[in-house]
């Protein structure tokens, strides 16, 4: 059962609505859906929101440490609440999935994602759920860092909105880590 959902992203207005902030965008969507507000939590180096999802209390976290240093925030919160890694879902952008696609997995490596790499290093575990939000790859020759830090196009924003809406109808499956129900998700626009 998921007790903590961590959205990965970078704090600051210049990073809002960028591809790299797909995790922040999703947890913001969940907070809005649940009608809860974000509260600064300096002890966790981030913002948290507590909500009820599918009858379960869930804490949402947006680390304020920048993407590549997310592990400090996540580790502190896990230890404070005495959650295990298996109780956590990390939501992040994924270059290897097309824009608007989603994949839920449990366990595994960081696949080059620096936010995941830092979380794994701080909690000394790979045994957590990851919701990978597809952002696609840049065209050949375009710098990957520039691509992930660029703003989503209006079509990209619509794709994410459609994806988040479809995911909202499967929150029961998401909270229990039902890989099949989430990975069979199809968005239509």
């Amino acid at each position: 059962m998921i007790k903590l959902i961590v959205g990965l992203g970078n704090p600051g207005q210049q990073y809002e609505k960028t591809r790299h902030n797909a995790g922040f965008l999703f947890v913001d969507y969940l907070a809005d859906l649940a009608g809860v507000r974000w509260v600064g939590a300096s002890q966790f180096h981030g913002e948290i929101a507590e909500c009820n999802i599918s009858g379960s209390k869930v804490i949402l976290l947006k680390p304020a440490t920048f993407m590549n240093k997310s592990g400090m925030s996540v580790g502190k919160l896990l230890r404070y609440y005495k959650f295990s890694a298996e109780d956590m879902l990390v939501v992040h952008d994924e270059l290897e999935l097309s824009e608007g696609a989603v994949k839920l997995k449990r366990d595994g490596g960081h696949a080059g994602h620096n936010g995941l790499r830092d979380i794994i290093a701080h909690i000394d575990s790979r045994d957590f759920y990851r919701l990978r939000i597809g952002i696609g790859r840049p065209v050949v020759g375009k710098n990957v860092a520039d691509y992930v830090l660029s703003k989503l196009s209006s079509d990209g924003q619509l794709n994410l909105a459609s994806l988040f809406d479809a995911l909202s109808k499967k929150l029961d499956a998401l909270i229990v880590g039902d890989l099949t129900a989430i990975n069979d998700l199809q968005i239509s626009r």
Side-chain angles (χ1 to χ4, degrees):
M1 183 73 68
I2 301 298
K3 298 175 184 172
L4 169 64
I5 301 177
V6 179
L8 296 186
N10 287 317
Q13 192 172 10
Q14 71 269 33
Y15 298 109
E16 288 178 3
K17 296 189 176 153
T18 63
R19 291 175 176 87
H20 215 28
N21 275 28
F24 273 14
L25 294 170
F26 183 68
V27 293
D28 281 339
Y29 176 88
L30 290 178
D32 288 346
L33 193 64
V36 297
R37 292 183 176 237
W38 291 101
V39 177
S42 59
Q43 72 271 34
F44 305 128
H45 304 280
E47 293 180 85
I48 63 170
E50 292 185 18
C51 60
N52 187 306
I53 298 176
S54 300
S56 298
K57 179 184 171 190
V58 177
I59 296 172
L60 307 176
L61 171 66
K62 291 195 302 187
T65 53
F66 287 91
M67 175 78 75
N68 297 349
K69 300 291 183 187
S70 300
M72 178 175 53
S73 175
V74 171
K76 286 184 178 222
L77 193 140
L78 283 177
R79 286 187 293 279
Y80 179 83
Y81 284 99
K82 297 180 175 51
F83 292 159
S84 66
E86 300 87 27
D87 297 330
M88 177 175 66
L89 169 67
V90 176
V91 185
H92 64 89
D93 60 309
E94 177 59 60
L95 285 165
E96 301 306 325
L97 293 175
S98 61
E99 192 174 88
V102 65
K103 185 163 177 86
L104 179 67
K105 69 180 274 188
R106 181 171 175 191
D107 207 353
H110 54 72
H113 195 287
N114 290 326
L116 291 177
R117 181 189 323 260
D118 197 58
I119 290 170
I120 291 167
H122 273 83
I123 69 170
D124 195 30
S125 177
R126 299 168 185 259
D127 193 19
F128 55 90
Y129 290 91
R130 301 103 192 270
L131 183 64
R132 302 163 56 207
I133 306 289
I135 61 168
R137 283 203 155 272
V139 294
V140 176
K142 186 167 183 181
N143 180 288
V144 171
D146 291 341
Y147 175 76
V148 299
L149 294 174
S150 65
K151 301 276 186 195
L152 287 159
S153 66
S154 53
D155 276 349
Q157 289 179 40
L158 287 173
N159 281 340
L160 273 187
S162 294
L163 178 62
F164 294 170
D165 183 53
L167 282 166
S168 74
K169 293 172 178 64
K170 300 229 179 205
L171 288 178
D172 290 343
L174 188 62
I175 292 302
V176 297
D178 183 342
L179 302 177
T180 304
I182 301 301
N183 291 337
D184 289 344
L185 185 69
Q186 299 289 319
I187 62 167
S188 58
R189 274 199 26 227

